[in-house]
Amino acid sequence: LEDILQKLMDEGMLVNREKFPNLAKNIVSFLRCFHDNKQNSELQTLLSKLYAPFLWRYVKSINQNVRLTATEVFLSAYPIEDMSSSKQERESEIDKQNTLLKTLLMDEVPEVRCIVVTGLGKILANYWLLMTSNTINSFMAPIIKDLSCESVVKV
């Protein structure tokens, strides 16, 4: 069952959003069902292990459709943690994810930036008490200083 789920996760991020927009949305919605149940530490660890081989590569993909879908999944799954790891390892992994979020805020594709701003709003609404003020400021500064002046209407 885990292999089938991982294959769906992997191939779902490669779906051509332009040709099959409903399929891409449905896959992200299906995966969100798992992400919404992260209070189960075993499920959270499983998601971390299933995404590990490809999610980070797809979020940095040159193909904007792959990057867009992977970013959407990443934001839905945030924070992706292996609960079997030590606290220090988990904190380090979250720091890497936060750095990736800051990078995605400045993505060259307006749709990616738009999804990141929306996703960060949800992340901050849920996790702001767990984040340092420096982390929150590092997310908000580019949104306020750069993206609020964006000439692209979507952002």
Side-chain angles (χ1 to χ4, degrees):
L1 190 59
E2 291 173 15
D3 291 339
I4 294 169
L5 181 58
Q6 186 176 43
K7 186 174 174 100
L8 176 71
M9 292 168 154
D10 184 12
E11 292 180 7
M13 286 187 232
L14 300 174
V15 169
N16 186 326
R17 292 176 74 102
E18 292 169 3
K19 286 186 180 178
F20 307 105
N22 290 334
L23 179 59
K25 287 178 187 177
N26 288 338
I27 290 171
V28 172
S29 294
F30 174 76
L31 294 174
R32 193 171 290 122
C33 294
F34 292 98
H35 304 157
D36 290 346
N37 289 299
K38 284 187 294 194
Q39 65 271 17
N40 179 327
S41 62
E42 291 175 0
L43 177 60
Q44 195 164 3
T45 297
L46 176 64
L47 290 173
S48 174
K49 291 181 183 201
L50 293 178
Y51 280 131
F54 52 85
L55 181 62
W56 311 120
R57 184 177 65 233
Y58 290 162
V59 169
K60 297 173 184 176
S61 173
I62 293 172
N63 183 312
Q64 69 182 34
N65 287 318
V66 172
R67 191 168 64 252
L68 186 62
T69 304
T71 299
E72 204 170 1
V73 170
F74 168 50
L75 290 164
S76 171
Y78 181 92
I80 300 174
E81 295 180 275
D82 181 347
M83 300 307 284
S84 64
S85 299
S86 70
K87 183 178 179 182
Q88 187 176 17
E89 289 172 326
R90 289 195 319 266
E91 286 176 359
S92 173
E93 189 59 35
I94 289 175
D95 286 342
K96 289 178 188 173
Q97 291 176 37
N98 290 341
T99 300
L100 180 58
L101 285 171
K102 290 178 237 173
T103 303
L104 289 168
L105 269 174
M106 295 293 131
D107 194 273
E108 63 190 35
V109 179
E111 290 83 2
V112 172
R113 293 193 304 269
C114 187
I115 286 176
V116 175
V117 169
T118 303
L120 267 175
K122 292 174 185 175
I123 289 169
L124 290 171
N126 290 320
Y127 299 106
W128 70 276
L129 287 173
L130 302 174
M131 294 180 174
T132 66
S133 61
N134 286 341
T135 300
I136 294 170
N137 288 336
S138 71
F139 291 145
M140 295 307 296
I143 292 171
I144 294 168
K145 292 178 183 173
D146 301 322
L147 298 178
S148 65
C149 302
E150 181 76 38
S151 63
V152 178
V153 176
K154 292 182 180 183
V155 179

